[in-house]
Amino acid sequence: MTSKLDQLKQFTTVVADTGDFDAISRLKPVDATTNPSLLLKAAALPGYTSLLDDAVKGCAGDLGLACDRFGVAVGQEILKVIPGRISTEVDARLSFDTQATLRRAERIIGLYDQAGIGRERVLIKIASTWEGIRAAEQLEKAGVQTNLTLLFSFAQAVACAEAGVFLISPFVGRIYDWYKKAEGRDFVGAEDPGVRSVSRIYQYYKANGYDTVVMGASFRNLGQIEQLAGCDRLTISPDLLQQLADDQGDLPRILNAGAGEARQSLDESSFRWAMNEDAMATEKLAEGIRLFARDQEKLEALLAARA
């Protein structure tokens, strides 16, 4: 009997949600994703000391540049042990500024270019705000592919597909967290609100012929992963990847393309109204941006101490 991880890989591209080289080398995902929180954790590992030192050299006190250099350096190392792509995130504090997001994304791509890494191996991660989606639309037209993160609502998914973004990362676990707290009960299997959200988006995209990749993210347990077996991609933490690797049980494909809702179109006002009407999405998007911003600041402080 093969492991659940090996079975999952038969119909879903498995992505490692980590910056830990050792875990990636051991579990052999196709792609990997990072974010400010994961980079902050990576920075505490002994093997990253030289990357931190190199990141601050010649930055003349520009800590944003040092952070981008560190993120790209981590991405370069990860790309040595995976066959696919690395997702590197734009500073979350720019989430409501389209032009600033574009400039930072272009700098990150430029750093990868300087390192000899082709842009076909990089995804630029951007928060799924209206401004972030507009920046992604321009990047995609310029040949830079994007990963729209902190996605919690159907409206965000609709707007991302219309903008032609390469990939979205709907956050299963954080949706689950919100509803578990709001309703005071647990959810399992197909009734899990995070699972239901990703399933709805997946069916909508397939029914309407969108090429945008759906990559479920932010998992709390194996049950959520198993319910989304068949999704285009799933980005999974090393702990849960290891649990899947250790489990020899059966893992059938659950998610298949089927009937989906009719194609929708959202302008800025209708997007903002839909977000306003979705308390969970509004709260979790704002919270996610704040948390990433705080970890970005902590990473900057860590780099400043080494300058």
Side-chain angles (χ1 to χ4, degrees):
M1 175 67 75
T2 57
S3 72
K4 284 188 174 179
L5 181 57
D6 287 335
Q7 292 173 69
L8 180 63
K9 288 178 179 179
Q10 297 303 307
F11 32 73
T12 291
T13 298
V14 174
V15 180
D17 197 10
T18 181
D20 185 333
F21 305 147
D22 292 337
I24 292 169
S25 298
R26 185 177 70 253
L27 296 163
K28 296 180 171 54
V30 173
D31 295 341
T33 61
T34 63
N35 60 45
S37 303
L38 293 173
L39 289 177
L40 186 63
K41 290 178 182 176
L45 300 173
Y48 288 80
T49 302
S50 63
L51 298 185
L52 288 166
D53 290 335
D54 289 343
V56 298
K57 289 177 183 174
C59 284
D62 185 341
L63 296 176
L65 175 58
C67 282
D68 286 348
R69 288 176 66 178
F70 179 66
V72 169
V74 171
Q76 284 178 252
E77 294 301 312
I78 291 172
L79 286 172
K80 293 176 182 177
V81 296
I82 62 171
R85 298 176 181 237
I86 183 69
S87 288
T88 298
E89 191 150 348
V90 170
D91 187 337
R93 294 169 296 185
L94 306 179
S95 296
F96 303 101
D97 188 329
T98 297
Q99 294 307 312
T101 295
L102 281 168
R103 288 192 295 271
R104 188 62 67 89
E106 289 163 357
R107 182 165 77 184
I108 292 169
I109 282 293
L111 289 168
Y112 275 112
D113 286 341
Q114 291 170 26
I117 304 295
R119 56 187 58 190
E120 74 280 357
R121 298 203 69 196
V122 180
L123 294 177
I124 298 295
K125 282 181 81 173
I126 301 170
S128 300
T129 58
W130 179 258
E131 295 81 4
I133 296 168
R134 300 281 69 79
E137 184 174 36
Q138 293 186 51
L139 288 166
E140 294 284 352
K141 289 176 180 176
V144 176
Q145 293 187 312
T146 56
N147 171 352
L148 273 287
T149 187
L150 294 175
L151 193 145
F152 302 98
S153 76
F154 189 68
Q156 289 172 296
V158 168
C160 285
E162 284 192 287
V165 308
F166 177 75
L167 179 148
I168 61 168
S169 296
F171 275 38
V172 178
R174 296 194 195 186
I175 294 173
Y176 162 83
D177 293 343
W178 192 92
Y179 279 101
K180 183 178 179 180
K181 181 178 179 181
E183 298 189 14
R185 66 186 184 96
D186 202 358
F187 300 90
V188 295
E191 72 165 356
D192 186 306
V195 169
R196 286 164 47 202
S197 176
V198 176
S199 299
R200 180 188 181 192
I201 292 166
Y202 178 87
Q203 301 292 359
Y204 174 75
Y205 279 13
K206 303 311 175 191
N208 291 287
Y210 287 115
D211 293 329
T212 300
V213 174
V214 181
M215 182 172 76
S218 171
F219 293 103
R220 297 293 179 258
N221 54 64
L222 290 189
Q224 293 171 336
I225 296 168
E226 291 172 2
Q227 285 296 318
L228 292 175
C231 193
D232 297 328
R233 304 187 189 191
L234 298 176
T235 181
I236 306 169
S237 69
D239 286 347
L240 288 174
L241 282 173
Q242 190 61 58
Q243 289 181 45
L244 286 167
D246 293 340
D247 192 334
Q248 300 297 308
D250 186 41
L251 193 146
R253 178 169 187 157
I254 301 295
L255 205 54
N256 287 283
E261 297 159 64
R263 183 178 289 231
Q264 300 181 27
S265 182
L266 297 174
D267 59 14
E268 181 176 358
S269 61
S270 56
F271 174 86
R272 295 194 187 281
W273 179 252
M275 289 295 290
N276 182 75
E277 291 297 279
D278 189 333
M280 176 277 297
T282 298
E283 291 173 23
K284 297 309 287 186
L285 174 61
E287 178 188 69
I289 290 171
R290 284 195 301 270
L291 290 172
F292 281 163
R294 298 296 84 76
D295 283 341
Q296 181 85 12
E297 290 161 1
K298 291 173 185 176
L299 184 58
E300 287 182 355
L302 187 63
L303 288 161
R306 308 184 80 89

